[in-house]
Amino acid sequence: MEPMNIMSTLKIQQYLNNQNLGEDVLNFVDTLKFNELMTQEQFQEVKSKVERYRTLDEELQRNPSPEVSKACKELAEDVLYATGQDVKNIRLGELQTVDKLDQAMMNTNLRSKNDLFVKVDYDDYSNSSNYIKCTLTSHNDPYAYGISPNARMIITRSGKIITTKNAIYSK
């Protein structure tokens, strides 16, 4: 690993300090995992299964039956598989969705000044997402990319940069 330019690190800190996103949005982007990011369709499917489970569970409490019990079990397994969360304790508002990221990107005031060298974070990458997470790198890193001027960006507290895939270009 090449030594990092201290001026670039200061630029990231300055970008972070100038960012006007709320605490809830910063918490969201800090914990965001692109491979867990749900599309609106996936979210709606999980939401409908959770609502159906809750309805069937109430019916099961009033009138136990093997068919309803089996349906509840299948729905619970589907939700667990899709989200990694128990259907009884899931908080739909806390699921990571593309819509939340789209909204955060629309609300950010940060625009690239084409002054950073970044490397794509392939450990947290999704082919289906329009967004990409990058880390700061040295200007003579052979895998360095730039971020197009005036491209929207979000800086996480850990210094990662989130931007659109089409904003990245080879330096």
Side-chain angles (χ1 to χ4, degrees), residues 109-170:
N109 63 326
L110 286 187
R111 301 288 185 148
S112 170
K113 296 176 187 161
N114 196 21
D115 58 350
L116 300 173
F117 293 92
V118 297
K119 188 161 53 170
V120 175
D121 183 358
Y122 287 108
D123 291 336
D124 189 9
Y125 183 85
S126 171
N127 288 328
S128 61
S129 175
N130 292 330
Y131 297 102
I132 194 164
K133 195 179 281 188
C134 305
T135 55
L136 205 56
T137 191
S138 168
H139 72 282
N140 46 359
D141 182 333
Y143 302 105
Y145 291 93
I147 301 176
S148 298
N150 211 26
R152 290 184 187 266
M153 313 186 303
I154 295 175
I155 309 295
T156 67
R157 288 187 190 109
S158 63
K160 301 245 179 170
I161 302 159
I162 299 173
T163 191
T164 57
K165 284 181 179 175
N166 62 359
I168 299 293
Y169 68 94
S170 294

Side-chain angles (χ1 to χ4, degrees), residues 18 46 54 65 73 82 105 140-141 146 152 156 163:
N18 291 332
V46 167
R54 290 177 180 161
S65 83
K73 184 178 183 222
M105 198 57 79
N140 46 359
D141 182 333
R152 290 184 187 266
T156 67
T163 191

Side-chain angles (χ1 to χ4, degrees), residues 12-21 109-110 113:
I12 285 286
Q13 187 62 46
Q14 187 176 23
Y15 275 124
L16 181 61
N17 292 342
N18 291 332
Q19 191 166 246
N20 68 348
L21 296 175
N109 63 326
L110 286 187
K113 296 176 187 161

